[in-house]
Amino acid sequence: MRSKRNADVILAVSVTAIIAVTVVFLLFPVIVTAFMAFDAREYIGPLPPTDLSTQWFVKLWNNNYLWSGFKNSMQLAIVVTAVATAMGASAGLAISRMSPRWRDLTTTAFLSPLVLPGVIIGFALLMFLSIVNVLPVFPRLVFGHLIVTIPYTIRMTLVGLAGVSATLVEAALSLGANAREAFFTITLPLAKNGIAAGAIFAFAFSMDDVTISLFLSDYDTYTLPVALVGLIRSHFELTIAAAAVALMGLTVILLLALDRVLGLERVIGQGPYRT
């Protein structure tokens, strides 16, 4: 009996240690980046820093090159999120009404861009758009980001629609509602969290994408990740760490806003099923 109790204690301690190591492993890059962003030294020295300062955030604020990239990234992410959400939700709704055979086939076709490396998609788009050569740089970036964000919105919409029972729609129709009213009063409200989760993925991917944006940007229209890569290549300084911390802060603010509006646990925590 005692040996079994000791084994349970050892198992509990082992699981706790594994969880602690995993948390540290996941958060260590974030902690190091935060330390570097507030480092008062003019060079990259050993951690932790001897003195703290906000000088890199001041330089970030005054860096027109990074600000231009940030504005382009925000505009691009907003446009891509709106278009990808509308197209993905519509496509997901149409796919959900297909027969199982065609639904699986169509879903696989729509999700196929996710299995391709971004560098291949970016290079292929560069070659194709160079031949056509009718689009300015910003629409090219929108086009490239839509290819890899629409699959996310379709997938999450299908997950959301999977939690909508057909009997609810049938009940609404039997009570006198037409198909449009049943969609806006039953289907859409119950699937909105899946659609919102797809929009979150689309926005996050568009803000974070480097590979496709590298191929489709030029010297005048570029995104923030492309600007950061350019700074790393030209002269590495800790303004990049400050930009990373600022982006993390923006992500936290976005998550808090979503939590207040929809509830993160409902959107990405417990799946699409609603009671």
Side-chain angles (χ1 to χ4, degrees), residues 67-77 138 220-223:
W67 266 114
S68 178
F70 177 75
K71 292 175 183 176
N72 289 332
S73 287
M74 284 296 295
Q75 294 172 357
L76 181 64
F138 190 81
D220 193 40
T221 305
Y222 52 87
T223 62

Side-chain angles (χ1 to χ4, degrees), residues 179-192:
R180 181 179 58 82
E181 292 172 338
F183 173 75
F184 284 105
T185 56
I186 302 296
T187 305
L188 186 60
L190 292 176
K192 68 178 182 180

Side-chain angles (χ1 to χ4, degrees), residues 91-155:
L93 180 64
I95 292 173
S96 68
R97 297 181 177 181
M98 293 180 177
S99 63
R101 178 186 176 188
W102 286 107
R103 182 168 60 239
D104 295 340
L105 183 63
T106 309
T107 302
T108 303
F110 272 114
L111 300 185
S112 58
L114 296 181
V115 301
L116 294 176
V119 65
I120 294 179
I121 296 177
F123 181 74
L125 284 174
L126 177 64
M127 293 294 100
F128 172 73
L129 294 174
S130 298
I131 295 173
V132 178
N133 198 24
V134 293
L135 290 178
V137 175
F138 190 81
R140 289 187 181 199
L141 288 168
V142 172
F143 184 62
H145 284 208
L146 284 176
I147 289 179
V148 289
T149 53
I150 287 178
Y152 286 109
T153 57
I154 291 177
R155 185 62 180 169

